[in-house]
């Protein structure tokens, strides 16, 4: 265990991607059997935002650079459809597939890990053809004073949030 002086957000993102040809029962079963949490290993996990946040990426990224993140002027980390307020360590979800998305509060991350997940699809143009790329995005998140590489493996999440918006 590494001890640090300030509260650190640990954000673990796991992406499962597939196309229409991979919607068989066998493919669905294989995806279901893939882990939804991993140990934190530095590297490939890395620090961001003046070392306030540790980001750990896993899974598929067919298009490259799938996960985008930024720190806003009001001190919120935006990560895909998720938003973390760094002043009070709360996690929110915003369905950006809707025209005027409202943020939905999920919960506090203070020494309390949350697993949040959603499914969606989008159109991809590749090799002179369009196809649907399906995704399941999982975020494991916690704010801690001491980093433990097994933080997501040793206990169950305090809360599981699922916004499975697509019937895929």
């Amino acid at each position: 265990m590494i001890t640090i002086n300030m509260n650190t957000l640990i954000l673990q993102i796991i992406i499962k991607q597939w196309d229409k040809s991979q919607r068989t029962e066998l493919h669905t079963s294989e995806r279901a059997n893939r882990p939804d949490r991993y140990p934190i290993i530095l590297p490939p996990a890395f620090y961001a935002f003046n070392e306030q946040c540790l980001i750990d990426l896993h899974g598929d990224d067919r298009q490259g650079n799938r996960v985008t993140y930024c720190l806003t002027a009001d001190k919120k980390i935006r990560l895909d459809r998720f938003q973390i307020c760094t002043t009070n360590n709360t996690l929110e979800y915003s369905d950006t597939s809707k025209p005027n998305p409202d943020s939905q509060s999920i919960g506090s991350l203070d020494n309390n890990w949350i697993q949040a997940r959603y499914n969606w699809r989008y159109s991809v143009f590749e090799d002179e053809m369009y196809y649907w790329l399906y995704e399941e995005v999982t975020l494991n998140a916690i704010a801690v004073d001491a980093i433990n590489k097994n933080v997501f493996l040793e206990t169950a999440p305090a809360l599981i949030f699922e916004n499975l918006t697509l019937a895929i």
Side-chain angles (χ1 to χ4, degrees):
M1 190 178 300
I2 303 168
T3 303
I4 54 177
N5 295 329
M6 61 182 210
N7 202 278
T8 300
L9 285 167
I10 301 175
L11 306 176
Q12 184 175 76
I13 302 95
I14 302 151
I15 299 177
K16 299 176 187 177
Q17 295 178 327
W18 64 97
D19 60 40
K20 192 172 184 175
S21 70
Q22 297 166 315
R23 294 184 347 163
T24 67
E25 196 172 308
L26 176 63
H27 288 105
T28 302
S29 175
E30 287 174 356
R31 279 191 301 279
N33 287 323
R34 288 172 54 191
D36 64 357
R37 60 194 85 163
Y38 293 88
I40 307 295
I41 308 293
L42 283 163
F46 60 92
Y47 283 97
F49 313 119
N50 294 324
E51 297 194 4
Q52 294 177 35
C53 181
L54 182 60
I55 299 176
D56 187 31
L57 305 172
H58 295 270
D60 305 318
D61 189 0
R62 290 185 182 188
Q63 302 300 111
N65 297 318
R66 167 58 187 89
V67 177
T68 58
Y69 51 89
C70 68
L71 183 62
T72 64
D74 58 353
K75 298 189 182 205
K76 292 184 178 182
I77 296 173
R78 287 203 182 141
L79 179 83
D80 208 41
R81 293 186 184 185
F82 301 105
Q83 184 169 273
I84 299 100
C85 180
T86 60
T87 57
N88 63 8
N89 292 329
T90 55
L91 177 63
E92 296 176 350
Y93 174 81
S94 181
D95 188 348
T96 55
S97 68
K98 296 179 180 176
N100 294 312
D102 289 327
S103 290
Q104 179 179 354
S105 180
I106 298 175
S108 173
L109 299 173
D110 283 327
N111 294 308
N112 197 38
W113 85 271
I114 294 175
Q115 184 174 78
R117 175 181 300 118
Y118 71 89
N119 289 334
W120 78 309
R121 70 177 181 187
Y122 53 95
S123 177
V124 172
F125 183 73
E126 189 176 67
D127 297 329
E128 302 296 318
M129 62 182 265
Y130 285 98
Y131 66 93
W132 285 115
L133 183 60
Y134 298 87
E135 284 188 334
E136 178 184 281
V137 178
T138 301
L139 171 68
N140 298 324
I142 190 169
V144 294
D145 291 327
I147 296 174
N148 172 352
K149 72 176 187 170
N150 294 315
V151 67
F152 299 123
L153 301 175
E154 293 177 343
T155 61
L159 175 69
I160 297 175
F161 170 84
E162 291 187 296
N163 186 347
L164 304 177
T165 55
L166 294 176
I168 54 178

